[in-house]
């Protein structure tokens, strides 16, 4: 069956929902938590770099970004391998995104605490997007804040119907089925329908 991935990124990890269609019905093929760091400090590399020498701070942030990208590629390779083993064909990937970051330097980000949170939020979603591209997956960046209205237009379905569908597939999948899984599932629905 054709399947699509939906990711909701956090600092150091992402919620993943893989959806497919079986006999015309949406099914949750996988629901998991994808780890995107190997060391605790790497969840917040800008915070880890706060207050240290400028060159060391830049190097530490770069290490964190490089590690997130490397790990995202590795983890997505594992997810793709699981689908291949199941006999499924991945056709798309959607990552929920927020507002883009200005092109600030590490020093500019470290100067304002709120910017560190912004940069870390962008870091892991960008790592997932880059990993999908490296694996030649059709990638969609979906606006998290307007996900439901975006999905209504993309899927030509009412928000109430989409919410009901996501709830129904969640009941079949079982817990956990919180906000992260619901958003990732809706993103995967869009990716699956467009691919």
């Amino acid at each position: 069956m054709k399947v699509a991935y939906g990711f909701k990124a956090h600092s150091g990890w992402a919620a993943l929902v893989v959806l497919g269609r079986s006999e015309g019905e949406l099914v949750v093929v996988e629901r998991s938590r994808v780890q995107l760091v190997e060391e605790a400090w790497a969840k917040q590399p800008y915070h880890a770099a706060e207050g240290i020498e400028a060159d060391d701070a830049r190097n530490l942030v770069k290490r964190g970004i490089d590690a997130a990208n490397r790990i995202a590629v590795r983890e997505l390779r594992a997810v793709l391998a699981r689908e291949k083993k199941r006999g499924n064909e991945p056709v798309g990937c959607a990552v929920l995104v927020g507002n883009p970051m200005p092109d600030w330097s590490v020093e500019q980000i470290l100067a304002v605490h709120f910017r560190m949170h912004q940069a870390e939020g962008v870091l892991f979603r960008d790592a997932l997007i880059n990993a999908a591209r490296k694996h030649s997956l059709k990638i969609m960046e979906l606006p998290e804040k307007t996900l439901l209205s975006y999905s209504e237009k993309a899927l030509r379905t009412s928000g109430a119907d989409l919410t009901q569908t996501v709830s129904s597939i969640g009941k079949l999948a079982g817990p956990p089925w919180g906000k992260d899984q619901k958003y990732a599932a809706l993103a995967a629905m869009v990716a699956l329908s467009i691919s």
Side-chain angles (χ1 to χ4, degrees), residues 25-189:
E25 297 295 319
L26 283 171
V27 293
V28 176
V29 177
E30 180 177 337
R31 173 196 54 232
S32 59
R33 179 180 171 121
V34 177
Q35 292 298 324
L36 298 171
V37 296
E38 294 169 338
E39 299 177 72
W41 70 268
K43 289 181 183 179
Q44 295 183 307
Y46 290 92
H47 282 80
E50 188 176 25
I52 64 175
E53 191 70 35
D55 285 343
D56 292 338
R58 279 191 300 277
N59 289 334
L60 187 63
V61 167
K62 183 180 182 324
R63 276 184 41 219
I65 292 169
D66 290 348
N69 280 295
R70 176 181 46 78
I71 294 165
V73 167
R74 181 189 71 208
E75 293 302 310
L76 191 51
R77 183 182 313 116
V79 170
L80 289 164
R82 286 194 296 272
E83 291 315 308
K84 184 176 181 181
K85 189 174 182 179
R86 291 180 182 124
N88 294 333
E89 177 191 354
V91 293
C93 179
V95 176
L96 295 169
V97 298
N99 295 327
M101 281 278 294
D103 192 22
W104 288 323
S105 67
V106 170
E107 291 81 7
Q108 289 170 313
I109 292 170
L110 293 176
V112 180
H113 192 82
F114 179 72
R115 290 179 185 170
M116 291 190 286
H117 288 283
Q118 283 180 288
E120 288 160 353
V122 170
L123 165 62
F124 295 101
R125 72 181 195 214
D126 284 355
L128 290 166
I129 291 165
N130 292 335
R133 287 186 178 128
K134 284 192 187 240
H135 288 293
S136 301
L137 273 173
K138 182 177 181 182
I139 182 73
M140 300 181 71
E141 298 177 37
L142 302 182
E144 184 173 347
K145 286 186 180 178
T146 58
L147 178 61
L148 188 58
S149 62
Y150 181 94
S151 300
E152 285 179 304
K153 291 174 189 160
L155 299 171
R156 295 186 178 112
T157 306
S158 74
D161 286 346
L162 291 172
T163 301
Q164 177 58 43
T165 299
V166 168
S167 260
S168 295
I169 62 175
K171 284 179 186 171
L172 292 173
W177 197 256
K179 183 179 177 181
D180 286 341
Q181 290 78 23
K182 290 174 183 175
Y183 277 28
L186 191 50
M189 284 172 61

